[in-house]
Amino acid sequence: MIDRDFLKQFTEVPSVGTACEPVLNLLTTRLGTAWSRRWVSDGYALFQRHPGDVEDLKVILITHVDEVGGLVYGSQGEEFATRCIGNVPQIFAEAQLQGFDYLAESGAEAFPVQGRVGVVGEEDRLLLSGEAIRPYRTAFTFLQETVFEGDSIAGKALDPRVTAYAALEAALALQSPEVGLLFVIDRKSTRLNSSHSSVSRMPSS
């Protein structure tokens, strides 16, 4: 049975690049105290069922949990220049966005930001505005509610998070110290998507 309440929360929580503490803390809570967490802040988190150690692992389920978004750089007047990750400035500027501190621990710490495309030097850049923005500390991503309709799901971050959810539930069903969960962050791929929104067909529950 698919836990739609958790999957909604899991896909909506903001986590970009290595600013992934909100989503990793959500996973830590889901797995509970019976699972250990080994955390490498610029690469991954490895979860394993107690009382196992790394040497006991025979299978590792690897997925990624970061999403497209970006980081805030220096100010441009009353706005801030950004570095976009995984999509072009125009796509972000046309969408609702949320910002959060790089060291945020929960999605509840996110706040609304507004974006537009401006020219910095000779380059099109996404310029953000918002009261809570801090230069070189704020990350941003899409702000979109996850919606279920029949056996379909629409929302943001579905590519990584639905796959990660499947791996998570498989490991929870097995409850074996020989099976690990490796959640990767800060993907090096910057393949451009045509849209921030996606729709996926869910497996039968």
Side-chain angles (χ1 to χ4, degrees):
M1 179 74 69
I2 294 173
D3 185 341
R4 295 191 175 198
D5 290 337
F6 175 78
L7 186 55
K8 175 179 171 66
Q9 187 180 12
F10 190 39
T11 52
E12 290 179 352
V13 66
S15 287
V16 175
T18 54
C20 278
E21 199 67 24
V23 72
L24 291 174
N25 282 339
L26 191 62
L27 288 164
T28 301
T29 300
R30 180 74 168 185
L31 287 161
T33 58
W35 292 70
S36 65
R37 168 173 143 171
R38 295 174 177 85
W39 169 229
V40 176
S41 62
D42 63 348
Y44 62 84
L46 174 65
F47 291 85
Q48 184 180 12
R49 183 74 162 81
H50 289 306
D53 202 350
V54 174
E55 289 77 10
D56 300 318
L57 290 171
K58 295 182 179 179
V59 175
I60 301 178
L61 305 176
I62 304 173
T63 61
H64 74 89
V65 291
D66 59 310
E67 60 185 312
V68 300
L71 304 170
V72 171
Y73 284 1
S75 63
Q76 296 287 319
E78 296 183 354
E79 300 172 302
F80 295 87
T82 67
R83 175 197 171 198
C84 294
I85 302 171
N87 223 319
V88 296
Q90 289 79 2
I91 295 297
F92 290 112
E94 294 170 359
Q96 288 187 294
L97 302 174
Q98 59 184 322
F100 60 102
D101 190 84
Y102 185 87
L103 299 178
E105 296 184 352
S106 166
E109 300 175 50
F111 50 88
V113 295
Q114 297 76 44
R116 72 174 184 88
V117 177
V119 177
V120 178
E122 298 181 353
E123 182 182 4
D124 283 348
R125 300 282 292 275
L126 179 70
L127 301 178
L128 287 187
S129 59
E131 292 184 3
I133 291 176
R134 299 174 64 186
Y136 303 101
R137 276 288 296 263
T138 297
F140 69 90
T141 187
F142 298 112
L143 175 61
Q144 184 175 0
E145 181 182 4
T146 299
V147 178
F148 299 90
E149 186 172 338
D151 61 352
S152 296
I153 175 175
K156 72 170 186 67
L158 299 185
D159 168 22
R161 306 277 173 82
V162 173
T163 305
Y165 172 77
L168 171 67
E169 292 303 296
L172 282 171
L174 292 169
Q175 291 290 338
S176 170
E178 296 181 348
V179 177
L181 283 165
L182 185 68
F183 296 109
V184 179
I185 62 176
D186 193 27
R187 291 179 303 144
K188 301 304 180 185
S189 170
T190 55
R191 179 175 60 87
L192 301 182
N193 301 314
S194 60
S195 172
H196 67 281
S197 178
S198 56
V199 178
S200 296
R201 186 77 64 185
M202 297 192 302
S204 299
S205 57

Coordinates of all heavy atoms in Angstrom, one line a residue, residues 118-201:
G118 N 16.9 38.5 -15.5 CA 17.6 39.8 -15.8 C 19.0 39.5 -16.4 O 19.5 38.4 -16.4
V119 N 19.6 40.5 -16.9 CA 20.9 40.4 -17.5 C 22.0 40.9 -16.5 O 21.9 42.0 -16.0 CB 21.0 41.2 -18.8 CG1 22.4 41.1 -19.4 CG2 20.0 40.7 -19.8
V120 N 22.9 40.0 -16.2 CA 24.1 40.3 -15.4 C 25.3 40.1 -16.2 O 25.6 39.0 -16.6 CB 24.1 39.4 -14.1 CG1 25.3 39.8 -13.3 CG2 22.8 39.6 -13.3
G121 N 26.0 41.2 -16.5 CA 27.1 41.1 -17.5 C 26.4 41.0 -18.8 O 25.6 41.9 -19.2
E122 N 26.7 39.9 -19.5 CA 26.0 39.7 -20.8 C 25.2 38.4 -20.7 O 24.9 37.8 -21.7 CB 27.1 39.6 -21.9 CG 27.8 40.9 -22.1 CD 28.8 40.8 -23.2 OE1 29.0 39.7 -23.8 OE2 29.4 41.8 -23.6
E123 N 24.9 37.9 -19.5 CA 24.3 36.6 -19.3 C 22.9 36.8 -18.7 O 22.7 37.6 -17.8 CB 25.2 35.8 -18.4 CG 24.7 34.4 -18.2 CD 25.6 33.6 -17.2 OE1 26.5 34.2 -16.7 OE2 25.3 32.4 -17.0
D124 N 22.0 36.0 -19.2 CA 20.7 35.9 -18.6 C 20.8 35.2 -17.2 O 21.3 34.1 -17.2 CB 19.7 35.2 -19.4 CG 19.1 36.0 -20.6 OD1 19.4 37.2 -20.6 OD2 18.5 35.4 -21.5
R125 N 20.3 35.8 -16.2 CA 20.4 35.2 -14.8 C 19.0 35.3 -14.2 O 18.3 36.2 -14.4 CB 21.4 36.0 -14.0 CG 22.9 35.9 -14.5 CD 23.5 34.6 -14.3 NE 23.8 34.4 -12.9 CZ 24.9 34.8 -12.3 NH1 25.8 35.6 -12.9 NH2 25.1 34.6 -11.0
L126 N 18.8 34.4 -13.3 CA 17.6 34.5 -12.5 C 17.9 35.4 -11.3 O 18.8 35.2 -10.6 CB 17.2 33.1 -11.9 CG 16.0 33.1 -11.0 CD1 14.7 33.4 -11.8 CD2 15.8 31.7 -10.3
L127 N 17.0 36.4 -11.1 CA 17.2 37.4 -10.0 C 16.0 37.1 -9.1 O 14.9 37.1 -9.4 CB 17.1 38.8 -10.5 CG 18.2 39.2 -11.5 CD1 18.0 40.6 -12.0 CD2 19.6 39.0 -11.0
L128 N 16.4 36.9 -7.8 CA 15.4 36.6 -6.8 C 15.2 37.8 -5.8 O 16.1 38.6 -5.5 CB 15.8 35.4 -5.9 CG 15.7 34.0 -6.5 CD1 16.0 33.0 -5.5 CD2 14.4 33.8 -7.2
S129 N 14.0 37.9 -5.3 CA 13.7 38.9 -4.3 C 12.8 38.2 -3.2 O 12.1 37.3 -3.5 CB 12.9 40.1 -4.8 OG 11.7 39.7 -5.4
G130 N 13.0 38.7 -2.0 CA 12.3 38.1 -0.8 C 12.9 38.6 0.4 O 14.1 38.7 0.5
E131 N 12.0 38.8 1.5 CA 12.5 39.4 2.7 C 13.5 38.6 3.4 O 14.4 39.1 4.1 CB 11.3 39.7 3.6 CG 10.4 40.8 3.1 CD 9.3 41.1 4.1 OE1 9.3 40.5 5.2 OE2 8.4 41.9 3.7
A132 N 13.4 37.2 3.3 CA 14.3 36.4 4.2 C 15.5 35.9 3.4 O 16.3 35.1 4.0 CB 13.5 35.2 4.6
I133 N 15.8 36.4 2.2 CA 16.9 35.9 1.5 C 18.2 36.4 2.1 O 18.3 37.5 2.5 CB 16.9 36.4 0.0 CG1 15.7 35.7 -0.7 CG2 18.2 36.2 -0.7 CD1 15.5 36.2 -2.2
R134 N 19.2 35.5 2.2 CA 20.5 35.8 2.7 C 21.5 35.4 1.6 O 21.6 34.3 1.2 CB 20.8 35.0 4.0 CG 19.9 35.4 5.1 CD 20.2 34.5 6.3 NE 21.5 34.7 6.9 CZ 22.1 34.0 7.9 NH1 21.4 33.0 8.4 NH2 23.3 34.2 8.3
P135 N 22.3 36.4 1.1 CA 23.3 36.1 0.1 C 24.3 35.0 0.5 O 24.7 35.0 1.6 CB 24.0 37.4 -0.2 CG 23.7 38.2 1.0 CD 22.4 37.8 1.6
Y136 N 24.5 34.1 -0.4 CA 25.5 33.0 -0.2 C 25.0 32.0 0.9 O 25.8 31.2 1.4 CB 26.9 33.5 0.1 CG 27.4 34.4 -1.0 CD1 27.4 35.8 -0.9 CD2 27.8 33.8 -2.2 CE1 27.8 36.6 -1.9 CE2 28.3 34.7 -3.3 CZ 28.3 36.0 -3.1 OH 28.7 36.8 -4.1
R137 N 23.8 32.1 1.3 CA 23.2 31.2 2.3 C 21.9 30.6 1.9 O 21.5 29.5 2.4 CB 23.0 31.9 3.7 CG 24.3 32.0 4.6 CD 24.6 30.6 5.1 NE 23.6 30.1 6.1 CZ 23.7 30.2 7.4 NH1 24.7 30.8 8.0 NH2 22.8 29.6 8.1
T138 N 21.2 31.3 1.0 CA 19.8 30.8 0.6 C 19.9 29.9 -0.6 O 20.6 30.2 -1.6 CB 18.9 32.0 0.3 OG1 18.8 32.8 1.5 CG2 17.5 31.6 -0.1
A139 N 19.2 28.8 -0.5 CA 18.9 27.9 -1.7 C 17.5 28.1 -2.1 O 16.7 28.6 -1.3 CB 19.2 26.5 -1.3
F140 N 17.1 27.7 -3.3 CA 15.8 27.8 -3.7 C 15.4 26.7 -4.7 O 16.2 26.0 -5.3 CB 15.5 29.2 -4.5 CG 16.2 29.2 -5.8 CD1 15.6 28.8 -7.0 CD2 17.5 29.7 -5.9 CE1 16.2 28.9 -8.2 CE2 18.2 29.8 -7.1 CZ 17.5 29.4 -8.3
T141 N 14.1 26.4 -4.7 CA 13.5 25.4 -5.7 C 12.1 25.8 -5.9 O 11.6 26.8 -5.5 CB 13.7 24.0 -5.1 OG1 13.3 23.1 -6.1 CG2 12.8 23.8 -3.9
F142 N 11.4 24.9 -6.7 CA 10.0 25.1 -7.0 C 9.1 25.0 -5.7 O 9.5 24.2 -4.8 CB 9.5 24.2 -8.1 CG 10.3 24.3 -9.4 CD1 11.1 23.3 -9.8 CD2 10.1 25.5 -10.1 CE1 11.8 23.5 -11.0 CE2 10.8 25.6 -11.3 CZ 11.6 24.6 -11.8
L143 N 8.0 25.7 -5.7 CA 7.0 25.5 -4.7 C 5.8 25.0 -5.4 O 5.1 25.7 -6.1 CB 6.7 26.9 -4.0 CG 5.6 26.9 -3.0 CD1 5.9 26.0 -1.9 CD2 5.3 28.3 -2.5
Q144 N 5.5 23.7 -5.2 CA 4.4 23.1 -5.8 C 3.8 22.0 -5.0 O 4.5 21.2 -4.4 CB 4.8 22.5 -7.2 CG 3.7 21.9 -8.0 CD 4.1 21.5 -9.4 OE1 5.3 21.6 -9.7 NE2 3.2 20.9 -10.2
E145 N 2.5 22.0 -4.9 CA 1.8 20.9 -4.1 C 1.7 19.7 -4.9 O 1.5 19.7 -6.1 CB 0.3 21.4 -3.8 CG -0.4 20.4 -3.0 CD -1.9 20.8 -2.7 OE1 -2.3 21.8 -3.2 OE2 -2.6 20.0 -2.0
T146 N 1.9 18.6 -4.3 CA 1.8 17.2 -4.9 C 0.4 16.8 -4.9 O -0.3 16.9 -3.8 CB 2.7 16.2 -4.2 OG1 4.1 16.6 -4.3 CG2 2.5 14.8 -4.8
V147 N -0.1 16.4 -6.1 CA -1.6 16.1 -6.2 C -1.7 14.7 -6.7 O -1.0 14.3 -7.7 CB -2.3 17.1 -7.1 CG1 -3.7 16.7 -7.3 CG2 -2.2 18.5 -6.6
F148 N -2.6 13.9 -6.1 CA -2.9 12.6 -6.6 C -4.3 12.6 -7.3 O -5.2 13.2 -6.8 CB -3.0 11.6 -5.4 CG -1.7 11.4 -4.7 CD1 -1.4 12.3 -3.6 CD2 -0.7 10.5 -5.1 CE1 -0.2 12.2 -2.9 CE2 0.5 10.4 -4.4 CZ 0.8 11.2 -3.3
E149 N -4.3 11.9 -8.4 CA -5.6 11.7 -9.2 C -5.6 10.3 -9.7 O -4.9 10.0 -10.7 CB -5.7 12.8 -10.3 CG -7.0 12.8 -11.0 CD -7.2 13.9 -11.9 OE1 -6.5 15.0 -11.8 OE2 -8.0 13.8 -12.8
G150 N -6.4 9.5 -9.2 CA -6.5 8.1 -9.6 C -5.1 7.4 -9.3 O -4.6 7.5 -8.2
D151 N -4.5 6.8 -10.3 CA -3.2 6.2 -10.1 C -2.1 7.1 -10.6 O -1.0 6.6 -10.9 CB -3.2 4.8 -10.8 CG -3.4 4.9 -12.3 OD1 -3.7 6.0 -12.8 OD2 -3.2 3.9 -12.9
S152 N -2.3 8.4 -10.7 CA -1.3 9.3 -11.2 C -0.9 10.3 -10.1 O -1.7 10.6 -9.2 CB -1.8 10.1 -12.4 OG -2.0 9.3 -13.5
I153 N 0.3 10.8 -10.1 CA 0.8 11.8 -9.2 C 1.4 12.9 -10.0 O 2.1 12.7 -10.9 CB 1.8 11.2 -8.2 CG1 2.4 12.2 -7.3 CG2 2.9 10.4 -8.9 CD1 3.3 11.7 -6.2
A154 N 1.1 14.2 -9.6 CA 1.7 15.4 -10.3 C 2.3 16.2 -9.2 O 1.8 16.4 -8.1 CB 0.6 16.1 -11.0
G155 N 3.5 16.8 -9.5 CA 4.2 17.6 -8.6 C 5.6 17.8 -9.0 O 6.0 17.6 -10.2
K156 N 6.4 18.3 -8.1 CA 7.8 18.5 -8.3 C 8.7 17.4 -7.8 O 8.2 16.6 -6.9 CB 8.3 19.9 -7.7 CG 8.4 19.8 -6.2 CD 9.0 21.0 -5.6 CE 9.3 20.9 -4.1 NZ 10.2 19.9 -3.7
A157 N 9.9 17.3 -8.2 CA 10.9 16.4 -7.6 C 10.4 14.9 -7.7 O 10.8 14.1 -6.9 CB 11.2 16.7 -6.2
L158 N 9.6 14.6 -8.7 CA 9.1 13.2 -8.7 C 10.1 12.2 -9.2 O 10.1 11.1 -8.8 CB 7.8 13.2 -9.6 CG 6.6 14.0 -9.2 CD1 5.5 13.7 -10.2 CD2 6.2 13.7 -7.8
D159 N 10.9 12.6 -10.2 CA 12.0 11.8 -10.7 C 12.8 11.1 -9.6 O 12.9 9.9 -9.4 CB 12.8 12.5 -11.7 CG 14.1 11.8 -12.1 OD1 14.1 10.6 -12.0 OD2 15.0 12.4 -12.6
P160 N 13.4 12.0 -8.7 CA 14.2 11.3 -7.7 C 13.4 10.7 -6.5 O 13.7 9.6 -6.0 CB 15.1 12.5 -7.2 CG 14.3 13.7 -7.4 CD 13.6 13.4 -8.7
R161 N 12.4 11.5 -6.1 CA 11.7 11.1 -4.8 C 10.8 9.9 -4.9 O 10.8 9.1 -3.9 CB 11.0 12.3 -4.3 CG 11.8 13.6 -4.1 CD 12.6 13.6 -2.9 NE 13.5 14.8 -2.9 CZ 13.1 16.0 -2.5 NH1 11.9 16.3 -2.1 NH2 14.0 17.0 -2.5
V162 N 10.1 9.7 -6.0 CA 9.3 8.5 -6.1 C 10.2 7.3 -6.2 O 9.8 6.2 -5.6 CB 8.4 8.6 -7.4 CG1 7.6 7.3 -7.6 CG2 7.3 9.7 -7.2
T163 N 11.3 7.4 -6.9 CA 12.2 6.2 -6.9 C 12.8 6.0 -5.6 O 12.9 4.8 -5.1 CB 13.3 6.5 -7.9 OG1 12.8 6.8 -9.2 CG2 14.3 5.3 -8.1
A164 N 13.2 7.0 -4.9 CA 13.7 6.9 -3.5 C 12.7 6.3 -2.6 O 13.0 5.5 -1.7 CB 14.2 8.2 -3.0
Y165 N 11.4 6.7 -2.7 CA 10.4 6.1 -1.9 C 10.2 4.6 -2.1 O 10.0 3.9 -1.1 CB 9.0 6.8 -2.2 CG 7.8 6.2 -1.5 CD1 7.6 6.4 -0.2 CD2 7.0 5.4 -2.2 CE1 6.5 5.8 0.4 CE2 5.9 4.8 -1.6 CZ 5.7 5.0 -0.3 OH 4.6 4.4 0.3
A166 N 10.3 4.2 -3.4 CA 10.2 2.7 -3.7 C 11.3 2.0 -3.0 O 11.1 0.9 -2.4 CB 10.2 2.5 -5.2
A167 N 12.6 2.5 -3.0 CA 13.7 1.9 -2.4 C 13.5 1.9 -0.9 O 13.8 0.9 -0.2 CB 15.0 2.6 -2.8
L168 N 13.0 3.0 -0.3 CA 12.8 3.1 1.1 C 11.8 2.0 1.6 O 12.1 1.3 2.6 CB 12.3 4.5 1.4 CG 11.7 4.7 2.8 CD1 12.9 4.7 3.8 CD2 11.0 6.1 2.9
E169 N 10.7 1.9 0.9 CA 9.7 0.9 1.3 C 10.2 -0.5 1.2 O 9.8 -1.4 2.0 CB 8.4 1.2 0.5 CG 7.7 2.5 0.9 CD 7.4 2.6 2.4 OE1 6.6 1.8 2.9 OE2 8.0 3.5 3.0
A170 N 11.0 -0.8 0.1 CA 11.5 -2.1 0.0 C 12.4 -2.5 1.1 O 12.4 -3.6 1.7 CB 12.3 -2.2 -1.4
A171 N 13.3 -1.5 1.5 CA 14.2 -1.8 2.7 C 13.4 -2.0 4.0 O 13.8 -2.8 4.8 CB 15.2 -0.7 2.8
L172 N 12.4 -1.2 4.2 CA 11.6 -1.3 5.4 C 10.9 -2.6 5.4 O 10.7 -3.2 6.5 CB 10.6 -0.2 5.4 CG 11.1 1.2 5.9 CD1 10.1 2.3 5.7 CD2 11.6 1.1 7.4
A173 N 10.4 -3.1 4.3 CA 9.8 -4.4 4.2 C 10.8 -5.6 4.5 O 10.4 -6.5 5.2 CB 9.2 -4.7 2.8
L174 N 12.0 -5.4 4.1 CA 13.0 -6.5 4.3 C 13.5 -6.4 5.7 O 13.8 -7.5 6.3 CB 14.1 -6.3 3.3 CG 13.8 -6.6 1.9 CD1 14.9 -6.2 0.9 CD2 13.5 -8.1 1.7
Q175 N 13.7 -5.3 6.3 CA 14.3 -5.1 7.7 C 15.5 -6.0 7.9 O 15.6 -6.7 8.9 CB 13.2 -5.5 8.7 CG 12.0 -4.5 8.8 CD 12.4 -3.1 9.4 OE1 13.4 -3.0 10.1 NE2 11.7 -2.1 9.0
S176 N 16.5 -5.9 7.0 CA 17.7 -6.7 7.1 C 18.9 -5.8 7.2 O 19.1 -4.9 6.4 CB 17.8 -7.6 5.8 OG 19.0 -8.2 5.8
P177 N 19.8 -6.1 8.1 CA 21.1 -5.4 8.1 C 22.0 -5.7 6.9 O 23.0 -5.0 6.8 CB 21.7 -5.9 9.4 CG 21.1 -7.2 9.7 CD 19.7 -7.1 9.1
E178 N 21.6 -6.6 6.1 CA 22.4 -6.9 4.9 C 21.9 -6.0 3.7 O 22.5 -6.0 2.7 CB 22.2 -8.4 4.5 CG 22.8 -9.3 5.5 CD 22.6 -10.8 5.1 OE1 21.9 -11.0 4.1 OE2 23.3 -11.6 5.7
V179 N 20.9 -5.2 3.9 CA 20.4 -4.3 2.9 C 20.5 -2.9 3.3 O 20.0 -2.5 4.4 CB 18.9 -4.6 2.6 CG1 18.4 -3.6 1.5 CG2 18.8 -6.0 2.1
G180 N 21.3 -2.1 2.6 CA 21.5 -0.7 2.9 C 20.7 0.3 1.9 O 20.4 -0.1 0.8
L181 N 20.5 1.5 2.4 CA 19.9 2.5 1.6 C 20.9 3.6 1.4 O 21.3 4.2 2.4 CB 18.6 3.1 2.3 CG 17.4 2.2 2.2 CD1 16.4 2.7 3.2 CD2 16.8 2.3 0.8
L182 N 21.3 3.9 0.2 CA 22.2 5.0 -0.1 C 21.5 6.1 -0.8 O 21.2 5.9 -2.0 CB 23.4 4.5 -0.9 CG 24.6 5.5 -1.1 CD1 25.3 5.8 0.2 CD2 25.6 4.9 -2.1
F183 N 21.3 7.2 -0.1 CA 20.6 8.4 -0.7 C 21.7 9.4 -1.1 O 22.4 10.0 -0.3 CB 19.6 9.0 0.2 CG 18.5 8.1 0.6 CD1 18.4 7.5 1.9 CD2 17.5 7.7 -0.3 CE1 17.4 6.6 2.2 CE2 16.5 6.9 0.0 CZ 16.4 6.3 1.2
V184 N 21.8 9.6 -2.4 CA 22.9 10.5 -3.0 C 22.3 11.9 -3.1 O 21.2 12.1 -3.5 CB 23.3 9.9 -4.3 CG1 24.4 10.8 -4.9 CG2 23.9 8.5 -4.2
I185 N 23.2 12.9 -2.9 CA 22.9 14.3 -3.1 C 23.9 14.9 -4.0 O 24.9 14.3 -4.3 CB 22.8 15.1 -1.8 CG1 24.1 15.1 -1.1 CG2 21.7 14.5 -0.9 CD1 24.2 15.9 0.2
D186 N 23.6 16.1 -4.5 CA 24.5 16.9 -5.4 C 24.9 16.2 -6.6 O 26.1 15.9 -6.9 CB 25.7 17.3 -4.6 CG 26.6 18.4 -5.3 OD1 26.0 19.1 -6.1 OD2 27.8 18.4 -5.1
R187 N 23.9 15.8 -7.4 CA 24.2 15.1 -8.7 C 25.0 16.0 -9.6 O 24.8 17.2 -9.6 CB 22.9 14.7 -9.4 CG 22.1 13.6 -8.8 CD 20.9 13.4 -9.6 NE 20.1 14.6 -9.7 CZ 19.4 15.0 -10.7 NH1 19.4 14.3 -11.8 NH2 18.7 16.1 -10.8
K188 N 25.9 15.5 -10.4 CA 26.7 16.3 -11.3 C 26.0 16.5 -12.6 O 26.4 17.4 -13.4 CB 28.1 15.5 -11.6 CG 28.9 15.2 -10.3 CD 29.2 16.5 -9.6 CE 30.0 16.2 -8.3 NZ 30.2 17.4 -7.5
S189 N 25.0 15.8 -12.9 CA 24.2 16.0 -14.2 C 23.5 17.3 -14.1 O 22.8 17.6 -13.1 CB 23.3 14.8 -14.4 OG 22.4 15.1 -15.4
T190 N 23.5 18.1 -15.2 CA 22.7 19.3 -15.3 C 21.8 19.3 -16.5 O 21.6 20.3 -17.2 CB 23.6 20.5 -15.3 OG1 24.5 20.4 -16.4 CG2 24.4 20.7 -14.0
R191 N 21.3 18.1 -16.8 CA 20.4 18.0 -18.0 C 19.2 18.9 -17.8 O 18.6 18.9 -16.8 CB 19.9 16.5 -18.1 CG 18.9 16.3 -19.3 CD 18.6 14.8 -19.4 NE 18.0 14.3 -18.1 CZ 16.7 14.3 -17.9 NH1 15.9 14.9 -18.8 NH2 16.2 13.8 -16.8
L192 N 18.9 19.7 -18.8 CA 17.8 20.6 -18.8 C 16.5 20.0 -19.0 O 16.3 19.2 -20.0 CB 18.1 21.8 -19.8 CG 19.4 22.5 -19.6 CD1 19.5 23.7 -20.6 CD2 19.5 23.1 -18.2
N193 N 15.5 20.3 -18.2 CA 14.2 19.9 -18.4 C 13.3 21.0 -19.0 O 13.6 22.1 -18.8 CB 13.5 19.5 -17.0 CG 14.3 18.4 -16.3 OD1 14.7 17.4 -17.0 ND2 14.6 18.6 -15.1
S194 N 12.3 20.6 -19.7 CA 11.4 21.6 -20.3 C 10.4 22.2 -19.4 O 9.8 23.2 -19.6 CB 10.7 20.9 -21.5 OG 9.9 19.9 -21.0
S195 N 10.2 21.5 -18.2 CA 9.2 22.0 -17.3 C 9.6 21.6 -15.9 O 10.3 20.6 -15.7 CB 7.8 21.4 -17.6 OG 6.9 21.8 -16.6
H196 N 9.1 22.4 -14.9 CA 9.3 22.1 -13.5 C 8.4 21.0 -13.0 O 8.6 20.4 -12.0 CB 9.2 23.3 -12.6 CG 7.9 23.9 -12.6 ND1 7.3 24.7 -13.6 CD2 6.9 23.8 -11.6 CE1 6.1 25.0 -13.2 NE2 5.8 24.5 -12.1
S197 N 7.3 20.8 -13.7 CA 6.2 19.9 -13.2 C 6.3 18.6 -14.0 O 6.6 18.6 -15.2 CB 4.9 20.6 -13.4 OG 3.8 19.7 -13.0
S198 N 5.9 17.5 -13.3 CA 5.9 16.3 -14.0 C 4.7 15.4 -13.5 O 4.2 15.7 -12.4 CB 7.2 15.5 -13.8 OG 7.5 15.3 -12.4
V199 N 4.3 14.5 -14.3 CA 3.3 13.6 -13.9 C 3.8 12.2 -14.1 O 4.4 11.8 -15.1 CB 2.0 13.8 -14.8 CG1 0.9 12.8 -14.5 CG2 1.5 15.2 -14.7
S200 N 3.5 11.3 -13.1 CA 4.0 9.9 -13.2 C 2.8 9.0 -12.9 O 1.9 9.3 -12.1 CB 5.1 9.7 -12.1 OG 6.2 10.4 -12.5
R201 N 2.9 7.8 -13.4 CA 1.9 6.8 -13.1 C 2.5 5.9 -12.0 O 3.6 5.5 -12.0 CB 1.7 5.9 -14.4 CG 0.7 4.8 -14.2 CD -0.7 5.4 -14.4 NE -0.9 6.0 -15.7 CZ -2.0 6.7 -16.0 NH1 -3.0 6.9 -15.2 NH2 -2.1 7.1 -17.3

